[in-house]
Amino acid sequence: MKIIIAFIVLWPLAGFLFNGLGRNIWSKKTVAYKATGYIVASFIFSILAFLNVQTNGAITVHYFDFINTANFKIPFDLKVDALSSLFLLVITGVGSLIHLYSTAYMKEEEAPHYARYFAYLNLFVFSMLLLVLGDNFVIMFIGWEGVGLCSYLLIGYWFTNNTFNYAAKKAFIMNRIGDLGFLLAIFWMIAKLGTISYSEVLTAESLAKLSTTDITAITMLLFVGAMGKSAQIPLFTWLPDAMAGPTPVSALIHAATMVTAGIYMITRANILFSASEFTGHVIAIVGISTALLAATIAIKQNDIKKVLAYSTVSQLGYMFLGLGVGAYSGAVFHVITHAFFKALLFLGAGSVIHAMHHEQDIRKMGGLKSKLPITHITFLIGCIAIAGVPPFSGFFSKDEILAAAFAKNPIYWVLGVIGAAMTAFYMFRLYATTFLGQFRGTHDQEHHLHESPFAMTLPLILLAVASAIAGAIGVPELMGGHHWLSHQLVSIVGEPHEATLSHQTEWMLMGISVTIAVIALTIAITIYKKKADGEPQTVLGKFLYNKWHIDELYNNAIVEPLNKFAGFLKEVIEKSVIDGAVNGTGKLVQYSARKMRLVQSGQVGYYILFMVLGIVLMLVLWFNDISILRFLIQLTNKS
């Protein structure tokens, strides 16, 4: 098993090295086969690891000591248990489909850039696998930083466009803010517990050594890290801008990998978070606030990828709501279902963009239902799933989070249902504007409309099937199921809480949320099946279209002041003070040397005068020195 676990991680790393080092050598066909094949191999090995966990339980494998001192040790251990084995399947499974899709989507790239793209993609998967397999917080942090680096490289893949470079830089910097919180939490654990291994930190004994302040501080700092990586208020604005990268990259970042890292980390450390009621409230409030904020913005966006981006931010908010109210298995459930339908939606959007010759404005689309039949039906399935309509997967996972939220605080549930209604509305606004009605693009675009190649439609079909049936792993007992996922995660999050809601209440909550979602999507289809939104005319419409002006707020309140402060440091402090002191010292020496040189006149009389003056000065100093006077007095007394 040790070899299998190692190869799960090493296959993507091998793909990165093969394609990265040989980017000027290999053909595009070789690159495509190798890059995709390595991820598929990792997926096969992940299945074996998952089956082993089901049969023999969790396994931890030690490879070497990353740090080993007299008082502190960080082993390089990889752990496959109930939680990590699930994430392995999602990361490598969805990752394989995205790689396959990319082989066709990126075919127009030149061979060296094609290889560079797949090298980054392989490295991304390697980093994410390291993140979920690491058996301590330091190994997790290494993978955490790795996905941050890869997101920067992939978002800025088309680096000749400065706008894309700015988006990549923005993602990198905002993630660093969150990463600082994660790093401080690690230092705090080391200072208080002397270890960062899960098996030693995440125990009742370790909790007993920590004060309430320690637990709150550590969990809040970890949550700051999760806010950055998983795009929660206030560190969420990088994610919509990440659309600058190729569409398959958007699917990989938004669906199965990077943005789910925060949910994985909190679920892994759930014993710490459950011990801090304050942190739980903060997570729930931030989560539901993010869900609502992003949903309101998505309603007025016209870029097909921007709508899906804000949808991702909103769905991540639901996951954090679940974490905040203690529904850890529900949050993981939504991670899994979201990975399928959001990857499907992004890849479906990529298929539309491919057919429209890189057009992304949905107001210039319409009527694509008959032109792209496979893309249409699979995209529709994704929309139904994310809208929470039964029996598709999103219904089960979202309902579990909303039920837990109602049990904790009915206000959370009300806000969650409002967000769900907006989700159904903006997703079917997107669907209707894109696929229904009459085509609104150019004649040339309409003439060239065609379904995507098989390498792109096959992943769509497989993800559509998964989006339709994945809810089966979490069917509640209320509906005759046994919630396999909840029992699967018992060893990680503990036994499922006893039901605090009656069956009648649960049915009522389900009925209300589904009814509202169906009404919302029906309204959206009715409004947008024949026309598209024009430019917003109302104050509210402009406000939402401009994304609450949050980017402008950040720019005016943070970016510009920092730039001005940096300019002050550069122009005043550095040039006038620091450089002035250094250059001034040199100028003083030069000036003094020029003046002292004049003393050497060649006039012997002057030299004698200076000698006499020097002697007089020395005598004056000598006679005014107390120690010398004391010495003379002592000599006089002795004589």
Side-chain angles (χ1 to χ4, degrees), residues 116-131:
R116 177 170 60 89
Y117 168 82
F118 277 103
Y120 293 163
L121 219 58
N122 284 171
L123 185 62
F124 199 120
V125 175
F126 162 76
S127 299
M128 192 65 196
L129 291 174
L130 193 63
L131 188 155

Side-chain angles (χ1 to χ4, degrees), residues 606-627:
Y606 282 114
Y607 294 165
I608 295 173
L609 175 62
F610 287 138
M611 289 172 62
V612 172
L613 291 175
I615 293 170
V616 171
L617 179 62
M618 291 178 63
L619 288 172
V620 170
L621 293 173
W622 191 67
F623 279 109
N624 281 281
D625 189 286
I626 295 176
S627 62

Side-chain angles (χ1 to χ4, degrees), residues 32-44:
Y33 281 134
K34 288 288 185 179
T36 307
Y38 284 134
I39 305 302
V40 171
S42 186
F43 175 58
I44 294 171

Side-chain angles (χ1 to χ4, degrees), residues 587-607:
K587 290 178 180 178
L588 178 62
V589 171
Q590 289 179 338
Y591 177 80
S592 302
R594 286 196 301 269
K595 296 304 180 182
M596 291 296 292
R597 185 180 61 187
L598 300 176
V599 175
Q600 303 295 327
S601 63
Q603 299 292 327
V604 177
Y606 282 114
Y607 294 165

Side-chain angles (χ1 to χ4, degrees), residues 129-382:
L129 291 174
L130 193 63
L131 188 155
V132 301
L133 282 174
D135 191 36
N136 58 65
F137 286 101
V138 169
I139 303 304
M140 177 192 281
F141 187 73
I142 294 172
W144 191 277
E145 290 296 282
V147 294
L149 169 64
C150 294
S151 68
Y152 168 78
L153 296 172
L154 286 166
I155 294 169
Y157 170 75
W158 286 306
F159 54 83
T160 55
N161 187 319
N162 282 331
T163 302
F164 296 171
N165 290 334
Y166 177 81
K169 183 174 66 175
K170 183 177 181 180
F172 191 81
I173 292 172
M174 293 196 80
N175 271 273
R176 296 293 75 70
I177 298 171
D179 295 350
L180 176 61
F182 192 172
L183 200 57
L184 291 175
I186 292 175
F187 291 152
W188 202 303
M189 285 186 279
I190 292 173
K192 293 295 181 178
L193 300 174
T195 181
I196 36 73
S197 294
Y198 301 150
S199 58
E200 297 174 341
V201 173
L202 307 177
T203 62
E205 292 77 11
S206 291
L207 284 180
K209 298 177 183 178
L210 299 172
S211 67
T212 302
T213 302
D214 290 331
I215 294 173
T216 301
I218 291 171
T219 52
M220 283 300 296
L221 288 171
L222 288 174
F223 177 52
V224 169
M227 287 165 59
K229 199 65 68 183
S230 297
Q232 297 297 288
I233 293 174
L235 303 177
F236 73 96
T237 56
W238 69 268
L239 191 56
D241 287 0
M243 297 300 94
T247 301
V249 171
S250 303
L252 192 64
I253 292 176
H254 287 238
T257 54
M258 183 171 169
V259 295
T260 63
I263 292 90
Y264 173 83
M265 181 258 283
I266 293 178
T267 305
R268 173 63 72 187
N270 68 88
I271 187 171
L272 284 173
F273 285 87
S274 296
S276 176
E277 186 175 354
F278 173 79
T279 304
H281 285 307
V282 172
I283 293 174
I285 292 171
V286 170
I288 191 61
S289 300
T290 304
L292 292 173
L293 175 66
T296 59
I297 295 174
I299 286 175
K300 281 296 181 179
Q301 299 308 301
N302 295 315
D303 185 310
I304 188 171
K305 289 173 67 176
K306 281 290 179 69
V307 176
L308 296 178
Y310 281 105
S311 168
T312 298
V313 176
S314 182
Q315 295 306 304
L316 289 168
Y318 278 104
M319 297 174 204
F320 277 95
L321 173 62
L323 296 173
V325 300
Y328 297 107
S329 61
V332 173
F333 189 13
H334 203 52
V335 166
I336 295 172
T337 59
H338 178 264
F340 294 134
F341 59 67
K342 187 51 62 68
L344 168 61
L345 290 168
F346 266 110
L347 297 185
S351 182
V352 170
I353 295 168
H354 179 266
M356 292 288 297
H357 292 274
H358 306 292
E359 177 62 65
Q360 296 183 197
D361 192 333
I362 59 176
R363 294 171 297 182
K364 298 178 181 179
M365 298 178 188
L368 300 183
K369 176 180 178 180
S370 58
K371 303 291 185 180
L372 311 174
I374 298 177
T375 301
H376 163 254
I377 190 64
T378 55
F379 197 91
L380 176 60
I381 290 172

Side-chain angles (χ1 to χ4, degrees), residues 55-131:
T55 305
N56 303 315
I59 180 173
T60 301
V61 179
H62 175 73
Y63 291 97
F64 57 89
D65 288 332
F66 185 65
I67 293 177
N68 191 359
T69 66
N71 301 317
F72 185 62
K73 180 179 179 180
I74 301 178
F76 191 93
D77 291 355
L78 300 183
K79 184 184 187 71
V80 180
D81 59 8
L83 181 62
S84 60
S85 61
L86 282 172
F87 274 80
L88 288 181
L89 293 179
V90 174
I91 293 166
T92 57
V94 176
S96 296
L97 295 177
I98 292 172
H99 276 71
L100 175 60
Y101 181 97
S102 296
T103 59
Y105 189 86
M106 301 296 290
K107 67 179 181 180
E108 295 179 4
E109 296 293 310
E110 296 178 2
H113 295 299
Y114 190 79
R116 177 170 60 89
Y117 168 82
F118 277 103
Y120 293 163
L121 219 58
N122 284 171
L123 185 62
F124 199 120
V125 175
F126 162 76
S127 299
M128 192 65 196
L129 291 174
L130 193 63
L131 188 155

